[in-house]
């Protein structure tokens, strides 16, 4: 069985609803969706999906514990992760819960496409599922142009573990990828931990824990990784990131130079921004109209009515705001 999965909790409720609605716009209620819980804060999500028979909230506690233990074991091998996280203000394991997306390797779908909660589906995914007949992992992004958020580029061991050629074509953003069930057996997981424990852990980029681990898991296992961004004809390729300003909106579907996007990823926009906008704060961000359309697709009457002047989400604070913040008054 094929299906789409995501990771979420009530904190990212609005984004998950937008994603689920976008999937329904493309597939109706025919495409099964599984939500892997980031943590136990999922009551609101559970209530939301009660009326969506095709959507389930993953509840296999054995599977979740398995991947919790694996993630801890990975970072326990890292020489500097703890110190780096502490300097950044994180207690314990940084962003612990993001690895729950790996439960898809145990989950209900034989072939799955994982989509982050801050993505919105724009196209049918049948051709991507079909590519999984010949590959272990299908990706569609341009992360290969920037290694710094996948591996520690300052590690002298990085290119001993993975040659430049592989780094140039196999790394990917963990926000969207297709793969298959049962790729990572207990034996395979233990093998990976063993490699890390023998010194390879230093190549991991600890500030993007789920992204660096899934890349390492796939690449160190020598699974076949196929990037559509590198293999599609140039005239058919599209971007996917909200940072691209040239996408054209036609009937709430985005196009890149005439080609329909597969998905749009609101990467770099804080969950808090989405939440505030849905509460009526007039914060503008790229393709906000697309997000709001899908978030309220089933309840257009609940679209927020903005009464204040729009403030751009990346707008720099004024000197007065900086002073007030320093004084604790803002």
């Amino acid at each position: 069985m094929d299906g789409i999965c995501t990771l979420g909790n009530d904190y990212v409720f609005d984004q998950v609803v937008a994603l689920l609605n976008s999937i329904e716009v493309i597939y109706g209620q025919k495409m099964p969706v599984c939500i892997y819980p980031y943590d136990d804060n999922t009551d609101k999500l559970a209530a939301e999906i009660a009326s969506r028979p095709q959507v389930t909230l993953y509840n296999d506690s054995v599977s979740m514990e398995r991947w919790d233990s694996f993630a801890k074991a990975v970072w326990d091998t890292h020489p500097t992760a703890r110190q780096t996280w502490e300097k950044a203000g994180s207690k314990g394991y940084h962003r612990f819960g993001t690895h729950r997306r790996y439960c898809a390797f145990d989950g209900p779908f034989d072939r799955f496409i994982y989509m982050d909660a801050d993505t919105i589906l724009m196209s049918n995914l049948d051709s991507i599922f079909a590519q999984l007949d010949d590959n272990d992992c299908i990706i569609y992004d341009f992360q290969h142009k920037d290694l710094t958020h996948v591996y520690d580029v300052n590690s002298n061991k990085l290119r001993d573990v993975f040659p430049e050629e592989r780094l140039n074509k196999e790394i990917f953003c963990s926000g969207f990828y297709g793969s298959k069930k049962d790729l990572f057996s207990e034996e395979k997981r233990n093998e990976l931990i063993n490699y890390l424990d023998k010194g390879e852990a230093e190549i991991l980029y600890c500030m993007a824990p789920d992204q660096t681990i899934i890349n390492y898991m796939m690449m160190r296992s020598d699974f076949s990784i196929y990037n559509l961004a590198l293999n599609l004809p140039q005239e058919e390729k599209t971007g996917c990131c909200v940072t691209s300003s040239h996408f054209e909106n036609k009937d709430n579907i985005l196009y890149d130079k005439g080609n329909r996007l597969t998905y749009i990823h609101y990467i770099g926009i804080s969950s808090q921004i989405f939440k505030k906008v849905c509460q009526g704060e007039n914060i503008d961000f790229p393709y906000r109209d697309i997000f709001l359309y899908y978030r309220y697709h089933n309840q257009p009457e609940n679209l927020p009515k903005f009464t204040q002047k729009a403030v751009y989400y990346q707008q720099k604070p004024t000197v007065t705001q900086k002073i007030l913040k320093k004084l604790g008054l803002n």
Side-chain angles (χ1 to χ4, degrees):
M1 179 170 67
D2 294 342
I4 296 172
C5 49
T6 190
L7 176 79
N9 61 8
D10 289 351
Y11 188 76
V12 293
F13 176 83
D14 295 302
Q15 292 127 288
V16 173
V17 171
L19 172 59
L20 292 177
N21 287 342
S22 72
I23 294 170
E24 284 192 20
V25 166
I26 301 295
Y27 286 103
Q29 292 190 333
K30 296 177 183 177
M31 176 60 71
V33 181
C34 185
I35 302 172
Y36 297 101
Y38 182 93
D39 54 24
D40 294 333
N41 181 24
T42 56
D43 291 348
K44 197 174 174 183
L45 270 183
E48 167 63 30
I49 66 172
S51 61
R52 301 178 190 250
Q54 81 282 18
V55 184
T56 56
L57 187 62
Y58 196 64
N59 61 2
D60 186 335
S61 58
V62 174
S63 169
M64 288 189 280
E65 174 58 35
R66 178 184 301 134
W67 289 106
D68 286 357
S69 297
F70 176 77
K72 289 176 182 176
V74 166
W75 293 115
D76 288 347
T77 68
H78 197 280
T80 59
R82 290 278 185 171
Q83 299 93 304
T84 303
W85 294 338
E86 285 175 11
K87 286 179 183 176
S90 286
K91 295 180 180 179
Y93 297 93
H94 182 59
R95 291 173 56 191
F96 196 73
T98 56
H99 64 276
R100 289 274 182 88
R101 71 193 68 202
Y102 311 153
C103 291
F105 295 111
D106 303 336
F109 308 132
D110 300 306
R111 303 187 303 185
F112 64 85
I113 292 172
Y114 172 83
M115 302 182 68
D116 262 351
D118 62 346
T119 60
I120 287 178
L121 186 62
M122 295 274 115
S123 293
N124 185 296
L125 297 173
D126 293 359
S127 62
I128 296 181
F129 280 115
Q131 285 283 357
L132 288 169
D133 289 340
D134 302 311
N135 298 277
D136 299 306
C137 184
I138 307 298
I139 57 180
Y140 194 0
D141 63 61
F142 297 86
Q143 189 68 52
H144 60 276
K145 294 183 177 181
D146 179 15
L147 280 173
T148 60
H149 286 79
V150 178
Y151 292 120
D152 184 347
V153 295
N154 297 314
S155 167
N156 293 325
K157 286 188 178 180
L158 178 56
R159 284 163 180 83
D160 293 334
V161 179
F162 300 123
E164 193 75 29
E165 181 185 0
R166 295 189 65 189
L167 293 171
N168 287 338
K169 68 177 185 179
E170 294 183 29
I171 70 165
F172 59 97
C173 171
S174 62
F176 180 96
Y177 56 91
S179 195
K180 306 172 184 177
K181 188 175 180 175
D182 295 334
L183 286 187
F184 296 98
S185 63
E186 182 178 6
E187 181 182 7
K188 174 62 71 177
R189 295 194 306 274
N190 289 339
E191 181 182 54
L192 292 169
I193 296 296
N194 188 48
Y195 288 141
L196 292 167
D197 199 33
K198 288 183 176 178
E200 292 186 12
E202 73 168 58
I203 76 171
L204 300 182
Y205 175 63
C206 65
M207 295 310 293
D210 65 274
Q211 182 156 281
T212 194
I213 293 176
I214 189 65
N215 273 265
Y216 181 82
M217 287 164 62
M218 285 291 181
M219 293 177 68
R220 198 63 177 88
S221 302
D222 290 321
F223 288 138
S224 57
I225 302 169
Y226 185 89
N227 191 346
L228 291 162
L230 292 174
N231 287 283
L232 284 173
Q234 189 63 37
E235 64 273 13
E236 294 180 18
K237 294 177 187 178
T238 73
C240 58
C241 285
V242 72
T243 49
S244 295
S245 59
H246 64 279
F247 299 149
E248 188 179 0
N249 181 356
K250 297 179 184 177
D251 298 324
N252 298 296
I253 296 293
L254 292 174
Y255 290 79
D256 186 349
K257 299 182 178 71
N259 293 310
R260 185 169 176 160
L261 266 63
T262 299
Y263 66 101
I264 181 72
H265 192 177
Y266 288 86
I267 194 164
I269 300 178
S270 153
S271 299
Q272 195 65 24
I273 297 293
F274 291 98
K275 189 174 184 178
K276 287 180 177 180
V277 167
C278 291
Q279 290 172 344
E281 289 193 40
N282 196 3
I283 304 171
D284 196 18
F285 55 85
Y287 308 109
R288 185 182 76 168
D289 54 339
I290 291 286
F291 167 75
L292 288 172
Y293 172 79
Y294 288 100
R295 166 61 183 90
Y296 295 98
H297 184 266
N298 298 339
Q299 304 165 313
E301 69 279 6
N302 291 338
L303 264 169
K305 295 175 176 60
F306 303 114
T307 56
Q308 303 295 320
K309 183 179 178 181
V311 176
Y312 193 61
Y313 83 113
Q314 287 184 330
Q315 186 167 310
K316 294 179 180 178
T318 64
V319 174
T320 302
Q321 287 171 329
K322 287 180 180 177
I323 294 171
L324 290 172
K325 185 172 183 180
K326 195 170 183 179
L327 295 172
L329 299 173
N330 187 12

